[in-house]
Every structure is written in structure tokens, then in C-alpha cells.
Amino acid sequence: MNYGKYKNARNAAWQCTIDYKICKLPVIITEIINMSNDINLYRNSDFKLLKDGESGMTVVENKCYNIVYNDNENSRRCRFTIAHELGHIFLGHLLINTPAYRTFAIRDNNESAANVFARDLLSPACVLHELQAVNAVDIAKLCNISKEAAEYREKRMRELEMRNAWYLHPLERQVINQFDDFIKSKKAEL
């Protein structure tokens, strides 16, 4: 994925965090959906739309985004799938009345961008940095994400910590300010 598309996905996750007033971890992904007038969430067990190996899909119908997720998967995987589908929506990938599917076999630019969005929404790097949560175990626990997702986040956190270029972007500064009370309370627990 080129850096421009990466930055767009990262910035979209920051903007979503700001717009939906997310200020603590773990992010309650259903609150974003509940606050949206045009996004609906459905379990696949109710509709049977997903094929084998598919974790989620979004269908645009009558200007509404309908996310269907595989509720037979564990809750942490479902959270990432739903966040991934939100990524498709907020990144503008779904502009026609056709479904988009989430599988782990497809790795095009839109899928990669939606993964970056989901990762950055569910486990914001600046918050993890402030809490010094940089290993997969801590990240998984704090963000309520799968071990696999936390391991990917740990790898990226190592890169970001080495770069040490925090709070250069105004959106990132807004996100960290929004999480200020949460960060202070978590540090007080230590």
C-alpha cells in the first residue's frame, strides 16, 4: 500500500474517533453505528448472506450501509471485521449498490486501507504510546482485539516508537486530547 493511501486511512480513523467522540478503550464499535443514521449492523446468522470464509460484507441499499458480520467468529474478530467494514464506508469504497466482502485472502488497496482504518480506530497508536502499551499482550487486553491484530499493532508500534514523531498532525493532537482523561485514569491505576 502506498504511503498516501495509508495516510488517508489513518487520517480517516482519527477523524472518525473525533467525530464520534471516542475517548476510551476499548472502542465500543456499535456506538459508532448507533450514532449513524445511515449504517445498520446485522448478524449473518439472521440473514445467511456470507459465503464460507467470509467474515463480513457491506451492502449499500437505498443510501444506507448494511454491514453483515460472521457472528460465528469470536467477538474480537467480529469487532475488527465491523471496524474494517466501517473503514470501507468512511473511506468511500462503497459508492454503488454492490456488496463488498471481507475475507483474509483478498489483499488489494481497498482491503489494506480498510485494515489500516480498523487497526487505527480500535488501537490508536498515540494512546498506546502514552500508556506505554507496546507489546501484543497489553494491546490485545487494552483494546479488546485479537492476538493476531495485536501482534500486527505491536510491529507497527515498534516502528512508530523508533521514529518518535508523535503529535505532528493536528488530527492526532485532537485524538490524544480527547483521550486525556482516559489516559490519566489508566496511568493512575499503575
Side-chain angles (χ1 to χ4, degrees):
M1 170 193 267
N2 74 37
Y3 189 62
K5 289 183 187 278
Y6 163 83
K7 285 192 325 185
N8 186 43
R10 177 203 65 194
N11 293 354
W14 284 340
Q15 192 64 59
C16 180
T17 299
I18 294 162
D19 291 347
Y20 288 89
K21 299 177 181 19
I22 298 166
C23 60
K24 63 183 178 179
L25 297 177
V27 172
I28 302 172
I29 204 78
T30 53
E31 286 182 0
I32 296 169
I33 293 164
N34 292 338
M35 291 174 67
S36 300
N37 294 325
D38 59 351
I39 303 174
N40 302 305
L41 182 64
Y42 301 102
R43 296 181 307 226
N44 189 56
S45 61
D46 294 334
F47 291 93
K48 311 278 191 272
L49 294 175
L50 298 175
K51 299 173 188 164
D52 286 342
E54 292 175 344
S55 296
M57 68 185 288
T58 299
V59 179
V60 182
E61 186 175 22
N62 298 325
K63 298 183 182 180
C64 283
Y65 300 96
N66 300 299
I67 297 172
V68 179
Y69 69 97
N70 184 347
D71 53 313
N72 288 322
E73 296 177 336
N74 72 62
S75 64
R76 291 177 170 196
R77 172 87 175 255
C78 290
R79 284 171 39 76
F80 194 89
T81 295
I82 295 165
H84 173 100
E85 294 302 323
L86 286 173
H88 283 304
I89 294 166
F90 290 124
L91 291 166
H93 297 165
L94 305 166
L95 301 176
I96 56 175
N97 288 343
T98 57
Y101 301 94
R102 178 179 185 330
T103 70
F104 285 93
I106 300 170
R107 292 287 183 233
D108 64 15
N109 277 335
N110 284 351
E111 292 302 309
S112 294
N115 281 341
V116 168
F117 177 93
R119 177 199 69 198
D120 290 358
L121 179 66
L122 295 175
S123 58
C126 58
V127 176
L128 298 177
H129 167 74
E130 287 297 320
L131 295 174
Q132 299 176 347
V134 294
N135 69 63
V137 172
D138 291 342
I139 294 168
K141 182 178 176 186
L142 185 63
C143 300
N144 192 23
I145 59 176
S146 69
K147 179 183 176 214
E148 179 184 12
E151 287 169 351
Y152 281 115
R153 188 37 137 180
E154 175 185 358
K155 181 180 176 194
R156 181 69 180 145
M157 286 301 297
R158 277 191 249 123
E159 295 168 8
L160 294 172
E161 292 292 348
M162 286 179 58
R163 188 177 308 144
N164 196 28
W166 301 99
Y167 316 120
L168 300 177
H169 197 284
L171 291 176
E172 185 180 32
R173 290 192 297 271
Q174 282 184 263
V175 168
I176 203 62
N177 287 336
Q178 203 161 285
F179 273 85
D180 188 55
D181 289 342
F182 173 79
I183 292 166
K184 286 177 183 172
S185 72
K186 281 295 182 187
K187 285 182 174 180
E189 291 175 9
L190 300 176

